């Protein structure tokens, strides 16, 4: 049971915020791709797959960062860094979870399976982007948003331009919320040489976050209007914008714990956007 508890911590099942940040845009894509009437088998497959792939990504991330996490206050006691789980065990856990996620999509079309391979490669390579890429959060946005084109592929057996536009919007959203997250660890990351958007943006970090939110909302508005979404969608988007403005009040002083609170609150921002889409279709 102690071993299972360590695996539970390794894959962050005790911290579901990451899974939720993946899930909301994926569900939104399923609703858009299916004109508001998704097959509930697809909803179940993508929900479980999102949790499994996020969990596998956490294991891979901790494996890649095992020599860095010991120098960061927030991560020093993670299972691998503290020596409670071996690096090999973490890789085995990640492999099992990735295989389980792939098994879920076996009934789906070939395009979805092919895109799942790309999704795994992106998720596995993300931790290493922090070594050289100035804004690794942008790459994280691709990893966290790849469920969007996959959802369209599963429903339509094709990926329209709107899906890629939504993915770009998700990249901007991810840069916004993960920069808030990176602001928590900025001092430690500077010492150990990890690259993050919080470091790259420097004193313009708050402005950059708000600009990324604005671009993400603009893309959502364009795509939603293209799909004929109106009243309830706009209401959901308005709530999301209000969330972003609230985040500004939290991050403007750059207090660590308030920045972390802003990051976590993005769950409600994503939920508001999805709720607006789902309600707009349901109440027509």
């Amino acid at each position: 049971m102690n071993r299972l508890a360590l695996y539970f911590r390794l894959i962050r099942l005790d911290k579901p915020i990451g899974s939720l940040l993946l899930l909301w845009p994926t569900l939104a894509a399923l609703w858009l791709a299916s004109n508001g009437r998704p097959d509930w088998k697809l909803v179940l497959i993508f929900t479980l797959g999102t949790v499994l792939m996020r969990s596998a990504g956490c294991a891979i991330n901790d494996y890649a960062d095992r020599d860095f996490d010991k120098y960061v206050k927030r991560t020093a006691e993670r299972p691998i860094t503290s020596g409670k789980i071996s690096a090999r065990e973490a890789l085995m856990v990640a492999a099992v979870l990735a295989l389980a996620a792939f098994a879920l999509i076996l009934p789906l079309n070939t395009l979805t399976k092919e895109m799942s391979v790309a999704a795994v490669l992106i998720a596995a390579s993300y931790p290493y982007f922090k070594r050289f890429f100035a804004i690794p959060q942008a790459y994280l946005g691709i990893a966290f948003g790849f469920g969007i084109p996959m959802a369209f592929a599963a429903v339509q057996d094709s990926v329209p331009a709107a899906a890629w536009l939504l993915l770009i919007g998700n990249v901007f959203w991810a840069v916004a919320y993960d920069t808030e997250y990176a602001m928590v660890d900025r001092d430690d990351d500077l010492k150990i040489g990890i690259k993050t958007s919080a470091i790259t943006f420097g004193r313009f970090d708050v402005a950059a976050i708000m600009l990324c939110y604005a671009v993400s909302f603009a893309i959502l508005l364009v795509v939603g209007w293209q799909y004929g979404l109106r009243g309830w969608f706009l209401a959901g988007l308005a709530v999301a914008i209000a969330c972003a403005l609230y985040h500004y009040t939290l991050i403007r002083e750059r207090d660590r714990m308030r920045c972390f609170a802003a990051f976590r609150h993005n769950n409600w921002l994503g939920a508001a956007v999805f709720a607006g889409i789902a309600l707009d279709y349901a109440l027509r």
Side-chain angles (χ1 to χ4, degrees):
M1 291 302 295
N2 287 338
R3 210 77 189 153
L4 287 175
L6 288 171
Y7 292 155
F8 192 85
R9 284 179 54 208
L10 173 70
I11 62 177
R12 312 284 202 281
L13 286 182
D14 57 330
K15 298 175 181 177
I17 178 65
S19 296
L20 292 168
L21 293 174
L22 273 82
L23 185 60
W24 297 127
T26 302
L27 292 178
L30 276 175
W31 256 253
L32 289 168
S34 62
N35 200 30
R37 294 177 177 82
D39 185 328
W40 287 99
K41 291 179 183 176
L42 280 180
V43 174
L44 181 61
I45 287 171
F46 274 87
T47 299
L48 291 176
T50 293
V51 174
L52 288 170
M53 282 307 301
R54 186 260 179 167
S55 298
C58 288
I60 294 171
N61 183 79
D62 284 9
Y63 168 81
D65 287 351
R66 63 193 185 280
D67 293 326
F68 293 99
D69 282 348
K70 66 180 84 173
Y71 300 110
V72 179
K73 299 172 189 175
R74 187 178 50 79
T75 60
E77 292 303 315
R78 283 181 174 172
I80 301 178
T81 307
S82 60
K84 295 170 184 174
I85 287 179
S86 70
R88 182 183 176 187
E89 276 183 281
L91 288 179
M92 290 175 63
V93 169
V96 168
L97 292 171
L99 287 172
F102 184 74
L104 282 174
I105 65 167
L106 286 178
L108 306 184
N109 58 44
T110 301
L111 178 59
T112 307
K113 293 172 189 171
E114 291 173 349
M115 295 191 74
S116 74
V117 176
V120 169
L121 293 175
I122 292 169
S125 57
Y126 160 69
Y128 298 96
F129 263 63
K130 291 179 283 189
R131 311 294 196 272
F132 63 89
F133 194 53
I135 308 179
Q137 282 74 13
Y139 195 72
L140 176 72
I142 298 174
F144 269 33
F146 213 74
I148 295 170
M150 284 184 65
F152 276 89
V155 174
Q156 302 180 0
D157 201 15
S158 65
V159 184
W164 298 115
L165 189 57
L166 283 171
L167 178 59
I168 293 171
N170 195 80
V171 168
F172 279 95
W173 182 37
V175 172
Y177 66 65
D178 210 57
T179 299
E180 293 168 347
Y181 188 69
M183 288 166 75
V184 178
D185 297 329
R186 178 158 39 197
D187 294 342
D188 293 324
D189 289 338
L190 281 167
K191 292 176 185 176
I192 60 181
I194 290 290
K195 297 184 181 298
T196 73
S197 54
I199 294 172
T200 301
F201 293 145
R203 64 190 179 93
F204 300 107
D205 49 3
V206 175
I209 289 169
M210 300 312 296
L211 178 61
C212 285
Y213 275 133
V215 173
S216 180
F217 293 143
I219 290 173
L220 282 169
L221 182 61
V222 168
V223 173
W225 207 259
Q226 178 184 339
Y227 275 79
L229 302 178
R230 296 295 185 266
W232 286 103
F233 166 70
L234 293 176
L237 194 59
V239 172
I241 292 170
C243 287
L245 293 174
Y246 170 61
H247 297 169
Y248 172 75
T249 67
L250 293 175
I251 65 175
R252 61 186 176 186
E253 301 298 331
R254 298 175 176 83
D255 176 80
R256 281 190 176 207
M257 296 313 298
R258 288 170 67 83
C259 289
F260 188 61
F263 161 73
R264 289 175 57 86
H265 195 263
N266 275 275
N267 169 48
W268 299 108
L269 189 156
V273 172
F274 169 67
I277 293 171
L279 286 171
D280 203 273
Y281 278 118
L283 299 177
R284 286 181 177 182

